[in-house]
């Protein structure tokens, strides 16, 4: 057995154990705990966000609405606090977390920030289209487009 030197490594290992056991709820809880560890590399937080998005897309009834909101909120909070460490794709992952929490203004903000950093980022471009963001318009942030996320 490999010796781990930080708490986040233990949570990551536990998330893998849960994944192998097909315990998707346990996997999500372990990833949320991992993301909240102070020494976790940002890439691990971003990868956890990508995993959340994948799991919530494939298993729409994985959690009750409130538990889902709390779990995603925990991850979004730590990711948003460190998002400057990331790139446009990381911004798109954070935007998806906000969309899952029905927080469209925050999602729009991160899509626009991602596009400002990397205008041709395919993930941000896809979200901009979904959110009906007009990229060449100064008023794009207040554009009235809406998004229907029906996976809760």
């Amino acid at each position: 057995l490999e010796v781990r030197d930080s708490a986040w490594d233990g949570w990551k290992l536990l998330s893998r154990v849960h994944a192998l056991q097909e315990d998707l709820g346990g996997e999500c809880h372990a990833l949320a705990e991992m993301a909240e560890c102070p020494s976790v590399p940002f890439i691990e937080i971003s990868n956890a966000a990508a995993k959340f998005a994948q799991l919530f897309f494939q298993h729409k009834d994985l959690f009750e609405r409130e538990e889902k909101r709390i779990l995603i909120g925990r991850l979004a909070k730590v990711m948003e606090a460190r998002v400057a460490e990331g790139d446009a794709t990381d911004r798109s992952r954070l935007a998806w977390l906000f969309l899952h929490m029905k927080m469209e203004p925050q999602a729009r903000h991160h899509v626009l920030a991602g596009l400002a950093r990397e205008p041709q980022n395919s993930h941000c471009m896809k979200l901009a289209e979904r959110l009906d963001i007009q990229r060449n318009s100064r008023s794009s942030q207040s554009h009235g487009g809406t998004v229907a996320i029906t996976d809760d």
Side-chain angles (χ1 to χ4, degrees):
L1 209 130
E2 184 179 330
V3 175
R4 302 284 177 167
D5 63 352
S6 65
W8 73 265
D9 276 332
W11 287 112
K12 183 175 180 177
L13 180 61
L14 183 60
S15 77
R16 289 182 181 158
V17 169
H18 284 299
L20 289 171
Q21 295 175 340
E22 298 181 8
D23 175 5
L24 304 179
E27 182 180 6
C28 286
H29 280 282
L31 288 172
E33 289 288 341
M34 177 199 72
E36 291 175 328
C37 292
S39 64
V40 66
F42 182 77
I43 187 67
E44 297 292 343
I45 297 170
S46 184
N47 288 341
K51 186 65 175 183
F52 269 43
Q54 174 193 6
L55 289 174
F56 291 134
F57 178 76
Q58 294 174 343
H59 306 278
K60 297 185 185 335
D61 58 348
L62 184 58
F63 294 106
E64 296 293 326
R65 182 178 298 161
E66 186 63 15
E67 185 177 10
K68 178 181 174 183
R69 187 191 62 76
I70 291 168
L71 268 175
I72 293 174
R74 290 172 60 196
L75 184 55
K77 180 180 177 181
V78 294
M79 188 170 188
E80 188 169 41
R82 295 181 55 186
V83 75
E85 298 174 44
D87 61 15
T89 298
D90 299 314
R91 291 277 187 165
S92 74
R93 291 173 176 178
L94 182 54
W96 272 113
L97 294 178
F98 282 118
L99 285 176
H100 280 289
M101 293 188 296
K102 310 266 189 261
M103 299 172 74
E104 186 179 326
Q106 292 86 339
R108 294 172 71 81
H109 168 77
H110 289 290
V111 169
L112 289 167
L115 288 169
R117 183 168 181 161
E118 189 183 326
Q120 298 304 312
N121 181 278
S122 63
H123 304 291
C124 287
M125 289 172 63
K126 182 189 277 186
L127 275 168
E129 183 178 324
R130 182 179 183 126
L131 291 166
D132 196 24
I133 293 174
Q134 305 301 315
R135 293 177 59 199
N136 295 328
S137 169
R138 288 188 167 269
S139 64
S140 62
Q141 204 150 2
S142 62
H143 190 277
T146 59
V147 175
I149 303 291
T150 58
D151 58 347
D152 57 347

